[in-house]
Structures are given as C-alpha cells and as structure tokens.
Amino acid sequence: MARAGLGLGLGLALALALALALSRAKPTVRKERVLRPDSELGARPAEDNGSFQYDHEAFLGREDARGFDQLSPEESRARLGKIVDRIDSDGDGFVTTEELKVWIKRVQKRYIYDNVAKVWKDYDRDTDGKISWEEYKQATYGYYLGNPAELQDSADHHTFKKMLPRDERRFKAADLDGDLTATREEFTAFLHPEEFEHMKEIVVLETLEDIDKNGDGFVDQDEYIADMFSHEDGGPEPDWVLSEREQFNDFRDLNKDGKLDKEEIRHWIVPQDYDHAQAEARHLVYESDKNKDEKLTKEEILENWSMFVGSQATNYGEDLTKSHDEL
C-alpha cells in the first residue's frame, strides 16, 4: 500500500498506482492480504549461551543492534542513556511498559519511516514540516486536475476519478486532529495504513472495494479467488487455488452465506495475533525493575544495560561489522 514520489506530467505516483489498479483487475499470482504488523519481530527463541540478542534486536532494530556490538561498554551505556530520554515520552523520569512497547514497535517499523523520509520533500512543498491535503493532491493529481480534457476519453479517467476521493478518505482517517494537515506520523499512517491500529478500518474497506468487482458490497468466492489467480490459459486450477476455495468455505465465510461481508473480511485480514512487542516490553520491565513498581528509572535501565544493548564485551563472536551512529 505504499506510494511513490512526486508526479511530473501524469506522474510517477499515478503511473504506479494505475499499474497497481490494472494488476488488481486481472491477478495472475497468489496475493497476501493478511496484515502482518511488526514483521521483523518474531517469537522469542530459546536464549543461546545467555545472549540477549533477541532483546537487543527488539529494542534497537537488527542493524543498530549490530552497530552497538562494535562499541565499548562505556559508549554503549552512554548511547543507551540518550535513548532512554527519548523513550520517556512524557518526561516524568520513568519508562513504562506502554512507552517501551511504543518504542519497540517504532524501531521495528523503522524501514517505513525511512521510506516516508525519502519522499517527504516531494509533498511538503512549502517546507513547513507538515503536508496538507492540498499539497498531496497537487503533487499527486495536479496534472490531471489541471488538464482534465486529456483524460476525458481515456480508460484511465475512471481509475483517477476513483482514486482521488479514496485517497482523500484515507488522508482524513490518518489526520487524527482533523486539520487536513498531516504531521510526519500522520503521513506515515496515510502511506502505510496497514501498520497503524486506527487505520485498520480503512484497510478493510479498501480491501473490500478492491475485490468486490460487482459492487454489491460483498466478496463472493469467485471474487475472492480472482484476487489471487486468473484463468488466463483456461487450464485446471492449481492445487493451492482449490485449497483457497476450501479456506473460503471453511474459515472465511463465517456465517455460511456464500460471501464475505466487512466483518468477515476484517476477521480474515486483521488477525488477533500475539503481540510480540507488548510481550518484550513486559519482559524488559520485569527483568530490570529492581523495586518492583512496574516501571523503570533511567538508573534501573543503565544498571541492566547489557540486556537492552550490546557492546564489544557482550558480542559472542558473531561477525558484526556495520555501525550506525544515529538512533
């Protein structure tokens, strides 16, 4: 669901969006619709030789965990202290489980924020540190809006006419304070709605609209399969398609009426999986909370620093060479 950069002429973003729309109309390969947030953070493995590698990668991200493994213990502690100040979002001198969870989730989504940083200047035209709906609309749809006659008789016209209100609806859902101007966090939610809890309804609705080709507000079995596979050669369906038909009947169509409504689509693409970030945050607090008040001081974290970050002293011989200075 990620989008591309600034539009020139019809625009790269629009061209890619059109290509995506056309590919949805006639899919030829299996698609993954189920949302998998925090994909980098999997289940906790059994600890290896007392290593805290899982904790380090959860707390820092994989690449920056490797960078810390190249630092001296003193420098690791110093950098950890600066990170703690950032995690303590309300500045009360304590790090709660919730603050740790938010930090861990953000670290695991760093690639998303990196992507937003790369395209930010394409949309923030007045460089005020925010992106208004008008700025986004002009950057993405400006050519079409300024030259509607060029697309009036084009097959692209319907696609663009559909995409503009859909983007506006998504932008407003991401715009939590309703000022039609997106902060960096709000714009990240707009570009990557699958990663944000408050955007899940939009993801469900867009999924329904993508797959529901007859416009009846439901997804029947043929539409469900057509989103994954197209009978271009007229041959028999692969085994995995037959398996998906069984999945539709046995597990997707909960009320057995032969079609999926919004609730059934939500149940399908937004599974209630185990929250690894929450579990890791609780683990870090439990292991470091000396006075058992269920929150951590900076001193408690630094006292147990080797659980949060590595250093040359805690590097168990793994070939870790890449160092990142910015956290």
Side-chain angles (χ1 to χ4, degrees):
M1 296 182 196
R3 295 166 191 266
L6 177 64
L8 298 174
L10 286 180
L12 176 60
L14 294 181
L16 291 175
L18 176 59
L20 178 60
L22 291 175
S23 70
R24 280 175 177 162
K26 199 171 185 181
T28 57
V29 296
R30 187 173 189 168
K31 291 184 179 179
E32 177 59 69
R33 286 283 184 183
V34 179
L35 305 187
R36 301 293 183 191
D38 304 327
S39 56
E40 287 191 22
L41 185 61
R44 169 181 290 275
E47 292 292 355
D48 182 19
N49 296 325
S51 168
F52 296 125
Q53 193 63 35
Y54 178 90
D55 300 299
H56 297 169
E57 292 182 2
F59 184 73
L60 296 169
R62 185 167 300 164
E63 291 301 316
D64 285 309
R66 291 174 178 175
F68 266 75
D69 283 334
Q70 304 305 307
L71 304 177
S72 68
E74 294 75 20
E75 190 170 2
S76 283
R77 281 172 54 91
R79 293 196 185 188
L80 174 59
K82 294 178 182 179
I83 293 173
V84 172
D85 293 337
R86 294 175 61 187
I87 298 173
D88 179 17
S89 58
D90 59 9
D92 66 352
F94 297 96
V95 170
T96 64
T97 300
E98 181 63 23
E99 286 173 327
L100 262 178
K101 183 185 78 170
V102 169
W103 169 263
I104 290 170
K105 283 182 175 290
R106 184 178 180 89
V107 163
Q108 299 305 316
K109 294 174 183 175
R110 184 169 294 168
Y111 74 96
I112 293 173
Y113 292 97
D114 288 346
N115 170 263
V116 172
K118 289 176 183 176
V119 302
W120 182 264
K121 66 180 183 299
D122 295 337
Y123 299 107
D124 183 16
R125 293 186 159 189
D126 60 8
T127 65
D128 66 347
K130 297 181 179 180
I131 295 172
S132 68
W133 165 246
E134 284 301 317
E135 285 179 307
Y136 177 81
K137 183 173 70 173
Q138 288 303 318
T140 306
Y141 297 98
Y143 181 85
Y144 164 62
L145 293 172
N147 302 273
E150 293 192 21
L151 290 174
Q152 197 63 40
D153 299 323
S154 168
D156 301 340
H157 178 71
H158 177 71
T159 299
F160 293 131
K161 193 173 182 180
K162 175 183 176 182
M163 285 173 59
L164 178 56
R166 174 163 159 157
D167 270 358
E168 184 174 12
R169 181 182 64 193
R170 187 197 284 194
F171 192 96
K172 288 179 177 178
D175 177 26
L176 292 177
D177 59 8
D179 64 354
L180 288 180
T181 300
T183 63
R184 193 170 289 262
E185 187 76 5
E186 289 171 334
F187 196 64
T188 303
F190 170 67
L191 292 184
H192 299 276
E194 70 280 1
E195 299 288 348
F196 291 81
E197 191 63 36
H198 67 280
M199 297 294 289
K200 295 294 174 62
E201 285 301 310
I202 284 291
V203 175
V204 170
L205 181 57
E206 290 182 0
T207 300
L208 172 59
E209 292 172 344
D210 286 345
I211 306 177
D212 175 24
K213 299 305 180 185
N214 64 14
D216 66 351
F218 299 93
V219 172
D220 60 36
Q221 187 182 105
D222 288 339
E223 289 170 329
Y224 174 82
I225 295 300
D227 186 56
M228 309 174 186
F229 175 76
S230 177
H231 254 134
E232 291 187 338
D233 59 5
E237 291 182 340
D239 289 343
W240 70 262
V241 173
L242 299 177
S243 176
E244 281 295 341
R245 289 191 182 278
E246 293 176 359
Q247 287 282 322
F248 182 95
N249 291 328
D250 296 341
F251 301 107
R252 309 287 186 237
D253 182 16
L254 300 178
N255 62 5
K256 308 305 178 188
D257 65 351
K259 56 190 177 183
L260 307 184
D261 58 25
K262 274 184 65 176
E263 286 302 316
E264 288 168 321
I265 291 174
R266 182 182 296 105
H267 186 270
W268 163 34
I269 70 170
V270 189
Q272 298 300 310
D273 288 339
Y274 182 71
D275 191 335
H276 296 293
Q278 175 76 13
E280 176 63 11
R282 288 175 175 171
H283 167 71
L284 291 172
V285 171
Y286 177 81
E287 293 294 336
S288 306
D289 183 16
K290 298 300 182 183
N291 62 4
K292 301 305 176 186
D293 61 353
E294 299 184 351
K295 54 188 176 182
L296 302 179
T297 63
K298 189 173 186 177
E299 290 71 25
E300 286 175 320
I301 292 175
L302 293 179
E303 185 176 340
N304 197 28
W305 67 275
S306 62
M307 172 167 279
F308 291 83
V309 299
S311 73
Q312 292 171 345
T314 57
N315 182 355
Y316 285 84
E318 193 173 356
D319 182 21
L320 305 173
T321 58
K322 190 171 183 181
S323 177
H324 288 245
D325 292 331
E326 185 176 349
L327 280 166

